[in-house]
Amino acid sequence: MQAIILAGGLGSLLKPFTEVVPKPLLPLGEKSILEIQIERLRDHGVTQIFLAVNYKADYIESFLGNGERYGVELIYSRESKALGTCGPLSLIRDQITGPFVMMNGDILTKLDFSRFYQFGCDKDFALTVGTKIITTPFRFGDVKSSEDQLLSVTEKPELNFEIMAAFIL
């Protein structure tokens, strides 16, 4: 099984930390986010991982190496310029041998990649998207009105958003 981790972003929201260390290599305890992702993918049967890198690509490659210490093969796809979210796929399309898992290099998930992958393959979908519901509390009451009449008030509602978490192509 193959996977692609998109790890080329600038990590602008975490500056000044990301001026020194790329966002996917920021530590969480004793390991970086990327190391945790690599080990989770490996534990679910992924043997080959493409890392789409741009910002601080040399740093990432020298830190992670060829993947031997993680029990996987790491292949680096370097963008000469930022290609956007799915642009890096164009650089490695000839090396992809079948369905693959794709994820961003700055997320942590407890997703069962094996089940997710098998689900996408069994359904024979062109694209399977893993999503998650994020609930955000809202500090104010939500008021519904019509002209000069108050219709309802929901005190401090929670807002729910369904977000993308992983892909199988």
Side-chain angles (χ1 to χ4, degrees):
M1 191 160 57
Q2 295 176 306
I4 299 168
I5 300 176
L6 304 173
L10 298 174
S12 301
L13 296 177
L14 290 174
K15 283 186 178 183
F17 303 109
T18 53
E19 290 174 352
V20 177
V21 177
K23 184 175 169 182
L25 289 184
L26 288 173
L28 277 170
E30 296 179 13
K31 296 180 182 180
S32 71
I33 296 169
L34 266 178
E35 288 176 296
I36 295 167
Q37 287 180 326
I38 290 166
E39 289 173 353
R40 293 253 319 122
L41 288 166
R42 176 205 61 212
D43 292 347
H44 285 275
V46 174
T47 57
Q48 188 177 62
I49 300 172
F50 295 89
L51 290 167
V53 294
N54 181 359
Y55 179 67
K56 297 201 178 289
D58 291 334
Y59 190 116
I60 292 171
E61 189 168 351
S62 66
F63 185 89
L64 297 172
N66 63 7
E68 184 177 347
R69 74 178 139 154
Y70 305 104
V72 298
E73 178 186 9
L74 294 179
I75 300 169
Y76 296 88
S77 173
R78 291 176 175 248
E79 304 171 29
S80 56
K81 63 177 181 170
L83 298 175
T85 301
C86 288
L89 296 179
S90 66
L91 301 176
I92 57 173
R93 68 174 152 239
D94 296 339
Q95 298 173 68
I96 301 298
T97 59
F100 59 90
V101 174
M102 185 171 80
M103 62 191 292
N104 290 327
D106 60 356
I107 63 166
L108 292 176
T109 178
K110 292 184 179 181
L111 175 68
D112 183 331
F113 290 105
S114 307
R115 280 186 56 206
F116 180 60
Y117 181 85
Q118 195 58 52
F119 174 82
C121 291
D122 289 348
K123 296 292 184 178
D124 197 30
F125 293 147
L127 172 68
T128 303
V129 178
T131 64
K132 177 180 174 142
I133 302 294
I134 298 291
T135 301
T136 304
F138 191 67
R139 297 183 338 169
F140 304 99
D142 181 33
V143 176
K144 303 283 188 231
S145 62
S146 175
E147 296 180 23
D148 61 351
Q149 189 173 28
L150 182 63
L151 301 175
S152 68
V153 176
T154 304
E155 188 58 35
K156 296 182 180 151
E158 292 184 337
L159 305 175
N160 293 306
F161 300 96
E162 188 172 11
I163 62 163
M164 291 189 291
F167 308 89
I168 295 178
L169 297 171

